[in-house]
Amino acid sequence: AQSVTQLGSHVSVSEGALVLLRCNYSSSVPPYLFWYVQYPNQGLQLLLKYTTGATLVKGINGFEAEFKKSETSFHLTKPSAHMSDAAEYFCAVSADTNAGKSTFGDGTTLTVKP
Amino acid sequence: KAGVTQTPRYLIKTRGQQVTLSCSPISGHRSVSWYQQTPGQGLQFLFEYFSETQRNKGNFPGRFSGRQFSNSRSEMNVSTLELGDSALYLCASSLTGQPNTGELFFGEGSRLTVL
């Protein structure tokens, strides 16, 4: 069984500030981990993913995340927030045996203040 | 390459009616998954189809059903609609193979309102 916990349903940062969105996961098998972003009235778009190999993964729009197995975490960061980053972010986990069935966290709404 | 296409984008139904939603995956993608998104429950997995067979199923009542056609297009049906079925229904396709990382490509969703 797999689960995802996103700490903080709402995060607010100032433009230019560091963005940190937290995600912890639980998985009985080696996980595949993802961050997706959703803009209003749209579907989800993949930001980045961890499958195997390098634990620091870089994604689109300047986002990156680090897989820490010992902490079962996959936190999303961006050094400098931009107004266009305001959206809802979802962390997700899947396993090779159920690759079409991802388990999503509850989402974190990011607000960027001017 | 065209993305995942869902139709209709918006629809309004009344309690007791049924609804059919359609999803066309990215060309070459053989896996199609459906998710229900609501403010209270977040993103909930409904089911996944691969090669016209349901491969995974979430914890939803039998009123929710789906199918996949030989061209990988998928439909989901909800019968006897309830107010609680109001949601954004998201379809996602994925490229199956080895390794199968489970990366999902989402459509824009079908927003269902049940009155």
Side-chain angles (χ1 to χ4, degrees):
Chain A
Q2 299 170 307
S3 66
V4 174
T5 301
Q6 291 184 239
L7 299 175
S9 58
H10 291 85
V11 170
S12 180
V13 300
S14 297
E15 192 174 18
L18 171 72
V19 175
L20 171 61
L21 305 182
R22 300 177 187 273
C23 171
N24 287 89
Y25 71 91
S26 172
S27 178
S28 56
V29 297
Y32 299 137
L33 295 161
F34 309 85
W35 276 99
Y36 292 88
V37 61
Q38 184 178 34
Y39 299 99
N41 297 315
Q42 293 187 23
L44 280 69
Q45 177 186 3
L46 182 72
L47 274 178
L48 50 78
K49 65 181 179 183
Y50 168 79
T51 54
T52 59
T55 56
L56 181 64
V57 294
K58 296 184 184 299
I60 62 172
N61 301 337
F63 285 94
E64 62 181 38
E66 186 171 10
F67 170 61
K68 292 187 176 181
K69 184 177 179 180
S70 61
E71 299 177 10
T72 60
S73 69
F74 191 58
H75 301 331
L76 181 71
T77 61
K78 181 174 180 178
S80 177
H82 191 272
M83 297 296 290
S84 61
D85 295 328
E88 190 162 19
Y89 292 80
F90 293 91
C91 182
V93 62
S94 75
D96 183 52
T97 54
N98 287 292
K101 177 187 177 184
S102 287
T103 300
F104 287 81
D106 291 336
T108 298
T109 300
L110 175 66
T111 301
V112 182
K113 298 175 292 185
Chain B
K1 203 179 239 187
V4 177
T5 303
Q6 290 188 247
T7 57
R9 288 291 315 278
Y10 302 91
L11 66 166
I12 300 173
K13 295 286 187 178
T14 57
R15 280 180 297 175
Q17 287 186 312
Q18 73 165 10
V19 65
T20 299
L21 308 177
S22 179
C23 173
S24 293
I26 291 172
S27 177
H29 287 194
R30 294 167 61 194
S31 169
V32 174
S33 302
W34 289 89
Y35 291 81
Q36 181 195 64
Q37 186 178 25
T38 60
Q41 298 297 318
L43 276 155
Q44 301 288 314
F45 173 78
L46 281 156
F47 28 66
E48 182 218 1
Y49 286 87
F50 176 73
S51 292
E52 302 178 64
T53 301
Q54 188 179 85
R55 187 162 68 173
N56 286 294
K57 187 177 187 304
N59 189 27
F60 277 80
R63 299 186 298 108
F64 293 81
S65 63
R67 59 177 175 169
Q68 187 180 35
F69 302 96
S70 59
N71 62 358
S72 294
R73 190 177 70 84
S74 177
E75 290 181 346
M76 68 162 283
N77 183 275
V78 188
S79 62
T80 318
L81 284 166
E82 302 176 358
L83 295 178
D85 297 333
S86 295
L88 181 66
Y89 290 88
L90 291 164
C91 169
S93 72
S94 62
L95 182 64
T96 54
Q98 291 299 329
N100 192 349
T101 62
E103 175 180 347
L104 299 174
F105 297 81
F106 283 86
E108 293 190 314
S110 293
R111 183 166 296 281
L112 170 65
T113 302
V114 182
L115 302 177

